[in-house]
Amino acid sequence: GESVGLHLPTLSVQEGDNSIINCAYSNSASDYFIWYKQESGKGPQFIIDIRSNMDKRQGQRVTVLLNKTVKHLSLQIAATQPGDSAVYFCAETTTQAGTALIFGKGTTLSVSS
Amino acid sequence: SAVISQKPSRDICQRGTSLTIQCQVDSQVTMMFWYRQQPGQSLTLIATANQGSEATYESGFVIDKFPISRPNLTFSTLTVSNMSPEDSSIYLCSVGRGSSGANVLTFGAGSRLTVL
């Protein structure tokens, strides 16, 4: 059967649909997680973050879910718009000062009108 | 958040040459991070650059190939030495939020290098 939270390299949705992008992280010591959006020709931009003491955090049209048991993150985008088309990366780190971000594999989201 | 400017934004280089990428930040930051993004891939950390000390390199990256300078709290350079086509990538400079620490990183637009 299909694994829950399977990472997909690409995701195509219709405008107005809800999008769910999945990510698995590797380090059990990571306690801080961030989603980035990277548009063509630009550097990654911060979308939303979550600390390990939470399992859900909501922003404007975006929600991040954290499942520490299976080391899985998801990014939900409500009412997806063409401007949401980009590559999305999750990143893990710790709250200890000086720790760099480790990036997961990206998912390319394509939104058609 | 900090504003980061990188130069050059893109370049085409010949095999065997070296290129230095500059990263300028509009505020003082303790730590700067250099990442590489190969075509269609995720970001990989090259090194962490602290002002006043030697850069710390990640596994697979060495100072002879990627020398880094960090002369002050607003500027850093990354040199890609003796380039080969495998070095064709986007190189990104980033800084942590605030004057110290990492966590949330702000990125420059990147420098896209193509090595022929």
Short mmCIF file of all heavy atoms in Angstrom, two decimals, chain B residues 36-99:
data_model
loop_
_atom_site.label_atom_id
_atom_site.label_comp_id
_atom_site.label_asym_id
_atom_site.label_seq_id
_atom_site.Cartn_x
_atom_site.Cartn_y
_atom_site.Cartn_z
N ARG B 36 25.70 24.93 -1.75
CA ARG B 36 25.75 24.62 -3.17
C ARG B 36 24.43 23.94 -3.57
O ARG B 36 23.93 23.10 -2.83
CB ARG B 36 26.92 23.70 -3.51
CG ARG B 36 27.02 23.34 -4.99
CD ARG B 36 28.25 22.50 -5.26
NE ARG B 36 28.11 21.14 -4.77
CZ ARG B 36 29.07 20.22 -4.89
NH1 ARG B 36 30.22 20.54 -5.46
NH2 ARG B 36 28.86 18.99 -4.45
N GLN B 37 23.92 24.31 -4.71
CA GLN B 37 22.71 23.68 -5.23
C GLN B 37 23.00 23.23 -6.66
O GLN B 37 23.02 24.04 -7.59
CB GLN B 37 21.52 24.64 -5.19
CG GLN B 37 20.21 23.99 -5.55
CD GLN B 37 19.02 24.91 -5.38
OE1 GLN B 37 19.14 26.14 -5.44
NE2 GLN B 37 17.84 24.34 -5.17
N GLN B 38 23.23 21.95 -6.82
CA GLN B 38 23.47 21.41 -8.15
C GLN B 38 22.17 21.37 -8.92
O GLN B 38 21.09 21.38 -8.32
CB GLN B 38 24.13 20.03 -8.03
CG GLN B 38 25.54 20.13 -7.43
CD GLN B 38 26.18 18.79 -7.20
OE1 GLN B 38 25.65 17.96 -6.50
NE2 GLN B 38 27.36 18.60 -7.77
N PRO B 39 22.25 21.33 -10.23
CA PRO B 39 21.03 21.42 -11.06
C PRO B 39 19.95 20.44 -10.64
O PRO B 39 20.19 19.23 -10.56
CB PRO B 39 21.57 21.12 -12.46
CG PRO B 39 22.99 21.56 -12.43
CD PRO B 39 23.48 21.24 -11.05
N GLY B 40 18.79 20.96 -10.36
CA GLY B 40 17.65 20.13 -9.99
C GLY B 40 17.74 19.47 -8.63
O GLY B 40 16.93 18.59 -8.32
N GLN B 41 18.69 19.88 -7.83
CA GLN B 41 18.91 19.23 -6.54
C GLN B 41 18.59 20.16 -5.38
O GLN B 41 18.27 21.33 -5.57
CB GLN B 41 20.38 18.78 -6.44
CG GLN B 41 20.82 17.82 -7.52
CD GLN B 41 20.05 16.51 -7.48
OE1 GLN B 41 19.89 15.91 -6.42
NE2 GLN B 41 19.54 16.09 -8.63
N SER B 42 18.72 19.60 -4.18
CA SER B 42 18.51 20.38 -2.97
C SER B 42 19.78 21.15 -2.63
O SER B 42 20.76 21.12 -3.37
CB SER B 42 18.13 19.43 -1.84
OG SER B 42 17.81 20.16 -0.68
N LEU B 43 19.75 21.84 -1.52
CA LEU B 43 20.89 22.63 -1.09
C LEU B 43 21.79 21.80 -0.19
O LEU B 43 21.30 21.10 0.72
CB LEU B 43 20.43 23.87 -0.31
CG LEU B 43 19.84 25.02 -1.13
CD1 LEU B 43 18.43 24.73 -1.58
CD2 LEU B 43 19.90 26.31 -0.33
N THR B 44 23.09 21.90 -0.41
CA THR B 44 24.08 21.19 0.39
C THR B 44 25.01 22.21 1.03
O THR B 44 25.56 23.07 0.33
CB THR B 44 24.90 20.22 -0.48
OG1 THR B 44 24.01 19.28 -1.08
CG2 THR B 44 25.92 19.47 0.37
N LEU B 45 25.21 22.10 2.33
CA LEU B 45 26.08 23.03 3.04
C LEU B 45 27.52 22.77 2.67
O LEU B 45 28.00 21.64 2.78
CB LEU B 45 25.87 22.89 4.54
CG LEU B 45 26.70 23.80 5.44
CD1 LEU B 45 26.31 25.26 5.24
CD2 LEU B 45 26.52 23.40 6.90
N ILE B 46 28.22 23.82 2.27
CA ILE B 46 29.64 23.73 1.98
C ILE B 46 30.44 24.00 3.25
O ILE B 46 31.30 23.21 3.65
CB ILE B 46 30.06 24.73 0.89
CG1 ILE B 46 29.35 24.44 -0.43
CG2 ILE B 46 31.59 24.73 0.71
CD1 ILE B 46 29.58 25.51 -1.49
N ALA B 47 30.18 25.15 3.86
CA ALA B 47 30.98 25.56 5.01
C ALA B 47 30.26 26.66 5.78
O ALA B 47 29.38 27.35 5.27
CB ALA B 47 32.34 26.05 4.57
N THR B 48 30.69 26.80 7.03
CA THR B 48 30.22 27.87 7.90
C THR B 48 31.37 28.84 8.11
O THR B 48 32.49 28.40 8.42
CB THR B 48 29.79 27.29 9.26
OG1 THR B 48 28.75 26.34 9.03
CG2 THR B 48 29.29 28.38 10.18
N ALA B 49 31.10 30.11 7.93
CA ALA B 49 32.16 31.11 7.99
C ALA B 49 31.90 32.08 9.15
O ALA B 49 30.94 32.85 9.11
CB ALA B 49 32.24 31.87 6.68
N ASN B 50 32.75 32.04 10.15
CA ASN B 50 32.69 32.98 11.26
C ASN B 50 33.74 34.06 11.06
O ASN B 50 34.86 33.77 10.64
CB ASN B 50 32.96 32.27 12.58
CG ASN B 50 31.83 31.34 12.96
OD1 ASN B 50 30.75 31.44 12.43
ND2 ASN B 50 32.11 30.45 13.88
N GLN B 51 33.39 35.26 11.39
CA GLN B 51 34.34 36.35 11.27
C GLN B 51 35.48 36.15 12.27
O GLN B 51 35.24 35.88 13.45
CB GLN B 51 33.65 37.69 11.52
CG GLN B 51 34.46 38.89 11.12
CD GLN B 51 35.36 39.41 12.24
OE1 GLN B 51 35.05 39.22 13.41
NE2 GLN B 51 36.45 40.05 11.89
N GLY B 52 36.71 36.24 11.78
CA GLY B 52 37.87 36.15 12.65
C GLY B 52 38.38 34.75 12.90
O GLY B 52 39.33 34.57 13.67
N SER B 53 37.79 33.76 12.25
CA SER B 53 38.29 32.40 12.42
C SER B 53 38.20 31.64 11.10
O SER B 53 37.57 32.10 10.15
CB SER B 53 37.50 31.66 13.50
OG SER B 53 36.15 31.53 13.13
N GLU B 54 38.85 30.51 11.07
CA GLU B 54 38.82 29.69 9.85
C GLU B 54 37.42 29.14 9.62
O GLU B 54 36.72 28.78 10.58
CB GLU B 54 39.81 28.54 9.98
CG GLU B 54 41.27 28.95 10.01
CD GLU B 54 41.76 29.42 8.65
OE1 GLU B 54 41.31 28.86 7.63
OE2 GLU B 54 42.57 30.36 8.61
N ALA B 55 37.07 29.02 8.37
CA ALA B 55 35.77 28.44 8.04
C ALA B 55 35.76 26.95 8.41
O ALA B 55 36.79 26.29 8.39
CB ALA B 55 35.47 28.62 6.57
N THR B 56 34.58 26.47 8.75
CA THR B 56 34.39 25.05 9.06
C THR B 56 33.71 24.38 7.89
O THR B 56 32.60 24.76 7.51
CB THR B 56 33.52 24.90 10.32
OG1 THR B 56 34.14 25.58 11.41
CG2 THR B 56 33.35 23.42 10.66
N TYR B 57 34.37 23.36 7.32
CA TYR B 57 33.88 22.72 6.10
C TYR B 57 33.14 21.43 6.42
O TYR B 57 33.50 20.68 7.34
CB TYR B 57 35.05 22.43 5.15
CG TYR B 57 35.61 23.68 4.54
CD1 TYR B 57 36.54 24.47 5.23
CD2 TYR B 57 35.19 24.11 3.29
CE1 TYR B 57 37.03 25.64 4.68
CE2 TYR B 57 35.68 25.27 2.72
CZ TYR B 57 36.60 26.04 3.43
OH TYR B 57 37.09 27.20 2.88
N GLU B 58 32.14 21.16 5.62
CA GLU B 58 31.36 19.92 5.73
C GLU B 58 32.09 18.80 5.01
O GLU B 58 32.98 19.03 4.17
CB GLU B 58 29.97 20.12 5.15
CG GLU B 58 29.15 21.15 5.87
CD GLU B 58 28.90 20.80 7.33
OE1 GLU B 58 28.35 19.71 7.58
OE2 GLU B 58 29.24 21.61 8.22
N SER B 59 31.69 17.59 5.34
CA SER B 59 32.29 16.43 4.70
C SER B 59 32.13 16.52 3.19
O SER B 59 31.04 16.81 2.69
CB SER B 59 31.61 15.17 5.23
OG SER B 59 32.11 14.02 4.56
N GLY B 60 33.22 16.29 2.50
CA GLY B 60 33.18 16.33 1.05
C GLY B 60 33.63 17.65 0.46
O GLY B 60 33.75 17.77 -0.77
N PHE B 61 33.85 18.63 1.31
CA PHE B 61 34.30 19.95 0.85
C PHE B 61 35.60 20.31 1.58
O PHE B 61 35.72 20.10 2.78
CB PHE B 61 33.25 21.02 1.15
CG PHE B 61 31.95 20.79 0.42
CD1 PHE B 61 30.90 20.14 1.05
CD2 PHE B 61 31.78 21.21 -0.89
CE1 PHE B 61 29.70 19.91 0.40
CE2 PHE B 61 30.58 20.99 -1.55
CZ PHE B 61 29.55 20.34 -0.91
N VAL B 62 36.58 20.81 0.83
CA VAL B 62 37.88 21.12 1.41
C VAL B 62 38.28 22.55 1.08
O VAL B 62 37.87 23.12 0.06
CB VAL B 62 38.97 20.14 0.91
CG1 VAL B 62 38.67 18.73 1.41
CG2 VAL B 62 39.09 20.17 -0.60
N ILE B 63 39.14 23.07 1.95
CA ILE B 63 39.53 24.48 1.84
C ILE B 63 40.30 24.75 0.55
O ILE B 63 40.18 25.83 -0.03
CB ILE B 63 40.35 24.89 3.08
CG1 ILE B 63 40.61 26.39 3.08
CG2 ILE B 63 41.65 24.10 3.16
CD1 ILE B 63 41.22 26.91 4.38
N ASP B 64 41.09 23.80 0.09
CA ASP B 64 41.86 24.03 -1.13
C ASP B 64 40.96 24.24 -2.34
O ASP B 64 41.31 24.97 -3.26
CB ASP B 64 42.81 22.86 -1.39
CG ASP B 64 43.94 22.80 -0.39
OD1 ASP B 64 44.14 23.80 0.33
OD2 ASP B 64 44.63 21.76 -0.32
N LYS B 65 39.81 23.58 -2.34
CA LYS B 65 38.88 23.68 -3.46
C LYS B 65 37.94 24.87 -3.30
O LYS B 65 37.59 25.53 -4.26
CB LYS B 65 38.06 22.40 -3.54
CG LYS B 65 36.98 22.38 -4.61
CD LYS B 65 37.56 22.40 -6.02
CE LYS B 65 36.44 22.27 -7.04
NZ LYS B 65 36.97 22.34 -8.44
N PHE B 66 37.55 25.14 -2.05
CA PHE B 66 36.57 26.20 -1.78
C PHE B 66 37.08 27.14 -0.69
O PHE B 66 36.48 27.23 0.40
CB PHE B 66 35.24 25.60 -1.34
CG PHE B 66 34.57 24.74 -2.38
CD1 PHE B 66 34.63 23.36 -2.29
CD2 PHE B 66 33.87 25.31 -3.43
CE1 PHE B 66 34.01 22.56 -3.25
CE2 PHE B 66 33.24 24.52 -4.39
CZ PHE B 66 33.31 23.14 -4.29
N PRO B 67 38.15 27.87 -0.93
CA PRO B 67 38.62 28.79 0.10
C PRO B 67 37.60 29.89 0.36
O PRO B 67 36.96 30.40 -0.56
CB PRO B 67 39.92 29.36 -0.49
CG PRO B 67 39.85 29.07 -1.96
CD PRO B 67 39.01 27.85 -2.12
N ILE B 68 37.46 30.23 1.62
CA ILE B 68 36.48 31.22 2.06
C ILE B 68 37.20 32.31 2.84
O ILE B 68 38.08 32.04 3.64
CB ILE B 68 35.41 30.56 2.96
CG1 ILE B 68 34.50 29.66 2.13
CG2 ILE B 68 34.58 31.60 3.71
CD1 ILE B 68 33.55 28.80 2.95
N SER B 69 36.80 33.53 2.61
CA SER B 69 37.28 34.64 3.43
C SER B 69 36.11 35.26 4.16
O SER B 69 34.97 35.23 3.70
CB SER B 69 37.98 35.70 2.58
OG SER B 69 37.03 36.51 1.90
N ARG B 70 36.42 35.81 5.33
CA ARG B 70 35.38 36.48 6.13
C ARG B 70 36.07 37.64 6.84
O ARG B 70 36.32 37.59 8.04
CB ARG B 70 34.79 35.48 7.13
CG ARG B 70 33.65 36.02 7.93
CD ARG B 70 32.36 36.08 7.15
NE ARG B 70 31.47 37.08 7.68
CZ ARG B 70 30.65 36.93 8.71
NH1 ARG B 70 30.60 35.75 9.33
NH2 ARG B 70 29.89 37.90 9.12
N PRO B 71 36.35 38.69 6.11
CA PRO B 71 37.17 39.78 6.68
C PRO B 71 36.45 40.66 7.68
O PRO B 71 37.10 41.30 8.50
CB PRO B 71 37.55 40.60 5.44
CG PRO B 71 36.45 40.30 4.46
CD PRO B 71 36.05 38.89 4.70
N ASN B 72 35.12 40.70 7.61
CA ASN B 72 34.37 41.52 8.58
C ASN B 72 32.96 40.93 8.74
O ASN B 72 32.64 39.88 8.18
CB ASN B 72 34.32 42.98 8.12
CG ASN B 72 33.72 43.13 6.73
OD1 ASN B 72 32.62 42.64 6.47
ND2 ASN B 72 34.43 43.79 5.84
N LEU B 73 32.14 41.60 9.51
CA LEU B 73 30.83 41.05 9.89
C LEU B 73 29.77 41.23 8.82
O LEU B 73 28.62 40.82 9.02
CB LEU B 73 30.36 41.69 11.20
CG LEU B 73 31.15 41.28 12.44
CD1 LEU B 73 30.71 42.11 13.65
CD2 LEU B 73 30.94 39.80 12.74
N THR B 74 30.10 41.85 7.69
CA THR B 74 29.10 42.07 6.65
C THR B 74 29.50 41.48 5.30
O THR B 74 28.78 41.66 4.33
CB THR B 74 28.84 43.58 6.45
OG1 THR B 74 30.04 44.22 6.00
CG2 THR B 74 28.35 44.23 7.74
N PHE B 75 30.61 40.78 5.22
CA PHE B 75 31.13 40.39 3.92
C PHE B 75 31.83 39.03 4.00
O PHE B 75 32.48 38.70 4.99
CB PHE B 75 32.11 41.46 3.42
CG PHE B 75 32.59 41.26 2.02
CD1 PHE B 75 31.78 41.59 0.94
CD2 PHE B 75 33.85 40.74 1.76
CE1 PHE B 75 32.21 41.43 -0.36
CE2 PHE B 75 34.29 40.56 0.46
CZ PHE B 75 33.47 40.92 -0.61
N SER B 76 31.68 38.27 2.91
CA SER B 76 32.39 37.00 2.78
C SER B 76 32.59 36.71 1.31
O SER B 76 31.85 37.20 0.45
CB SER B 76 31.59 35.88 3.44
OG SER B 76 32.25 34.62 3.29
N THR B 77 33.61 35.92 1.03
CA THR B 77 33.81 35.44 -0.33
C THR B 77 34.00 33.93 -0.32
O THR B 77 34.52 33.37 0.64
CB THR B 77 35.03 36.08 -1.02
OG1 THR B 77 36.23 35.66 -0.38
CG2 THR B 77 34.94 37.60 -1.03
N LEU B 78 33.56 33.31 -1.38
CA LEU B 78 33.78 31.88 -1.64
C LEU B 78 34.46 31.78 -2.99
O LEU B 78 33.95 32.33 -3.97
CB LEU B 78 32.46 31.13 -1.66
CG LEU B 78 32.52 29.67 -2.15
CD1 LEU B 78 33.12 28.77 -1.08
CD2 LEU B 78 31.14 29.16 -2.56
N THR B 79 35.58 31.10 -3.03
CA THR B 79 36.26 30.86 -4.30
C THR B 79 36.07 29.40 -4.71
O THR B 79 36.23 28.51 -3.89
CB THR B 79 37.76 31.19 -4.20
OG1 THR B 79 37.91 32.58 -3.87
CG2 THR B 79 38.48 30.91 -5.50
N VAL B 80 35.70 29.21 -5.95
CA VAL B 80 35.64 27.86 -6.50
C VAL B 80 36.89 27.70 -7.36
O VAL B 80 37.05 28.39 -8.37
CB VAL B 80 34.36 27.64 -7.33
CG1 VAL B 80 34.26 26.18 -7.76
CG2 VAL B 80 33.12 28.05 -6.55
N SER B 81 37.79 26.83 -6.92
CA SER B 81 39.12 26.75 -7.52
C SER B 81 39.21 25.63 -8.54
O SER B 81 38.54 24.60 -8.42
CB SER B 81 40.17 26.50 -6.42
OG SER B 81 40.13 27.50 -5.44
N ASN B 82 40.05 25.86 -9.53
CA ASN B 82 40.35 24.82 -10.51
C ASN B 82 39.06 24.11 -10.97
O ASN B 82 38.90 22.91 -10.80
CB ASN B 82 41.34 23.80 -9.93
CG ASN B 82 41.82 22.81 -10.97
OD1 ASN B 82 41.84 23.09 -12.17
ND2 ASN B 82 42.21 21.63 -10.50
N MET B 83 38.17 24.90 -11.53
CA MET B 83 36.83 24.41 -11.81
C MET B 83 36.78 23.33 -12.88
O MET B 83 37.55 23.34 -13.84
CB MET B 83 35.93 25.58 -12.20
CG MET B 83 35.55 26.47 -11.02
SD MET B 83 34.41 27.77 -11.46
CE MET B 83 35.52 28.89 -12.29
N SER B 84 35.82 22.44 -12.70
CA SER B 84 35.49 21.42 -13.69
C SER B 84 33.99 21.51 -13.95
O SER B 84 33.26 22.15 -13.19
CB SER B 84 35.87 20.04 -13.17
OG SER B 84 35.06 19.70 -12.08
N PRO B 85 33.50 20.87 -15.01
CA PRO B 85 32.05 20.92 -15.28
C PRO B 85 31.19 20.47 -14.10
O PRO B 85 30.06 20.93 -13.94
CB PRO B 85 31.90 20.00 -16.49
CG PRO B 85 33.20 20.13 -17.20
CD PRO B 85 34.24 20.24 -16.12
N GLU B 86 31.73 19.58 -13.25
CA GLU B 86 30.98 19.10 -12.09
C GLU B 86 30.73 20.22 -11.07
O GLU B 86 29.91 20.06 -10.17
CB GLU B 86 31.72 17.96 -11.41
CG GLU B 86 31.79 16.66 -12.23
CD GLU B 86 32.70 16.76 -13.43
OE1 GLU B 86 33.73 17.48 -13.35
OE2 GLU B 86 32.40 16.13 -14.47
N ASP B 87 31.45 21.30 -11.18
CA ASP B 87 31.25 22.44 -10.27
C ASP B 87 30.13 23.37 -10.74
O ASP B 87 29.81 24.34 -10.05
CB ASP B 87 32.55 23.24 -10.15
CG ASP B 87 33.66 22.46 -9.46
OD1 ASP B 87 33.34 21.74 -8.49
OD2 ASP B 87 34.81 22.55 -9.92
N SER B 88 29.54 23.07 -11.87
CA SER B 88 28.42 23.87 -12.36
C SER B 88 27.26 23.74 -11.38
O SER B 88 26.71 22.65 -11.19
CB SER B 88 27.99 23.40 -13.75
OG SER B 88 29.02 23.57 -14.70
N SER B 89 26.93 24.84 -10.73
CA SER B 89 25.93 24.83 -9.68
C SER B 89 25.50 26.26 -9.40
O SER B 89 26.10 27.21 -9.91
CB SER B 89 26.50 24.26 -8.36
OG SER B 89 26.80 22.90 -8.46
N ILE B 90 24.52 26.36 -8.53
CA ILE B 90 24.21 27.65 -7.92
C ILE B 90 24.86 27.66 -6.55
O ILE B 90 24.71 26.70 -5.78
CB ILE B 90 22.69 27.86 -7.77
CG1 ILE B 90 22.01 27.78 -9.14
CG2 ILE B 90 22.39 29.20 -7.11
CD1 ILE B 90 20.49 27.78 -9.07
N TYR B 91 25.59 28.71 -6.26
CA TYR B 91 26.24 28.86 -4.96
C TYR B 91 25.50 29.97 -4.20
O TYR B 91 25.33 31.07 -4.71
CB TYR B 91 27.72 29.19 -5.12
CG TYR B 91 28.47 28.02 -5.72
CD1 TYR B 91 28.54 27.85 -7.10
CD2 TYR B 91 29.07 27.07 -4.91
CE1 TYR B 91 29.19 26.76 -7.66
CE2 TYR B 91 29.73 25.97 -5.46
CZ TYR B 91 29.78 25.82 -6.84
OH TYR B 91 30.43 24.73 -7.37
N LEU B 92 25.08 29.62 -2.99
CA LEU B 92 24.22 30.53 -2.22
C LEU B 92 24.87 30.90 -0.90
O LEU B 92 25.37 30.04 -0.17
CB LEU B 92 22.88 29.85 -1.94
CG LEU B 92 22.03 29.57 -3.17
CD1 LEU B 92 21.42 28.18 -3.09
CD2 LEU B 92 20.93 30.61 -3.30
N CYS B 93 24.82 32.16 -0.62
CA CYS B 93 25.27 32.69 0.66
C CYS B 93 24.04 32.87 1.56
O CYS B 93 22.97 33.26 1.07
CB CYS B 93 25.95 34.03 0.41
SG CYS B 93 26.31 35.00 1.87
N SER B 94 24.17 32.59 2.84
CA SER B 94 23.05 32.78 3.75
C SER B 94 23.55 33.24 5.11
O SER B 94 24.70 32.99 5.48
CB SER B 94 22.23 31.50 3.88
OG SER B 94 23.01 30.47 4.45
N VAL B 95 22.66 33.88 5.84
CA VAL B 95 22.98 34.34 7.18
C VAL B 95 21.85 33.97 8.12
O VAL B 95 20.70 33.80 7.70
CB VAL B 95 23.20 35.87 7.23
CG1 VAL B 95 24.31 36.26 6.27
CG2 VAL B 95 21.93 36.64 6.93
N GLY B 96 22.20 33.83 9.42
CA GLY B 96 21.18 33.52 10.40
C GLY B 96 20.38 34.74 10.77
O GLY B 96 20.85 35.87 10.67
N ARG B 97 19.20 34.53 11.25
CA ARG B 97 18.36 35.64 11.70
C ARG B 97 18.99 36.22 12.96
O ARG B 97 19.36 35.51 13.87
CB ARG B 97 16.96 35.13 11.99
CG ARG B 97 16.04 36.17 12.59
CD ARG B 97 14.65 35.61 12.81
NE ARG B 97 13.93 35.47 11.56
CZ ARG B 97 12.70 34.98 11.46
NH1 ARG B 97 12.10 34.55 12.54
NH2 ARG B 97 12.10 34.89 10.30
N GLY B 98 19.12 37.51 12.99
CA GLY B 98 19.72 38.16 14.14
C GLY B 98 21.23 38.23 14.01
O GLY B 98 21.79 37.82 13.00
N SER B 99 21.88 38.69 15.03
CA SER B 99 23.32 38.92 14.95
C SER B 99 24.12 37.67 15.29
O SER B 99 25.31 37.64 15.08
CB SER B 99 23.72 40.05 15.90
OG SER B 99 23.39 39.69 17.23
#
